[in-house]
Amino acid sequence: MVMTKSISRRIPQRTCVACRQVKPKRELTRLVCVSDGVIEVDTSGRKPGRGAYLCRNIECWKAGVMSNRLDYTLRATITRENRERLMNYSKDLAGE
Ligand SMILES: [Zn+2]
């Protein structure tokens, strides 16, 4: 069997849950539901579990985390503490 490498490698695309824009996966931050109702920022992008993506800007984090869009996408009930933890993370994004 001859191995033919495709020139046009497909870049994985994901949708931001806040603004619904489709972007290359690497430009988004993955959030993962690690256990029932516990959402963590997945910096490696490889954690197992149901995932959702957000743009690296504070507006999308506010819209995604503070509304119930993230809950809906991850089918989880996110606690207030969890939301605050995620928002704390997003504050670092603003400095970039
Ligand atoms: Zn976005």
Side-chain angles (χ1 to χ4, degrees):
M1 198 175 129
V2 182
M3 296 293 282
T4 46
K5 269 193 180 167
S6 175
I7 304 160
S8 57
R9 266 189 301 152
R10 219 180 277 171
I11 301 163
Q13 305 261 307
R14 293 292 182 272
T15 308
C16 168
V17 296
C19 66
R20 313 302 301 175
Q21 277 190 64
V22 179
K23 293 190 175 186
K25 200 177 159 188
R26 67 178 62 171
E27 289 180 19
L28 300 164
T29 299
R30 184 169 186 252
L31 299 165
V32 65
C33 184
V34 289
S35 69
D36 197 24
V38 182
I39 314 300
E40 283 184 4
V41 178
D42 179 12
T43 46
S44 69
R46 285 177 194 153
K47 279 187 191 174
R50 192 182 292 279
Y53 293 83
L54 282 171
C55 300
R56 291 200 187 115
N57 72 62
I58 199 150
E59 294 308 318
C60 284
W61 281 69
K62 266 187 205 158
V65 175
M66 301 315 285
S67 74
N68 60 2
R69 267 179 249 189
L70 209 52
D71 307 52
Y72 181 79
T73 308
L74 297 172
R75 293 181 206 169
T77 307
I78 307 167
T79 63
R80 203 163 55 106
E81 285 172 331
N82 202 162
R83 278 183 222 279
E84 279 168 11
R85 201 145 37 83
L86 295 173
M87 286 316 291
N88 279 337
Y89 177 87
S90 76
K91 280 171 195 160
D92 297 338
L93 299 171
E96 279 185 0

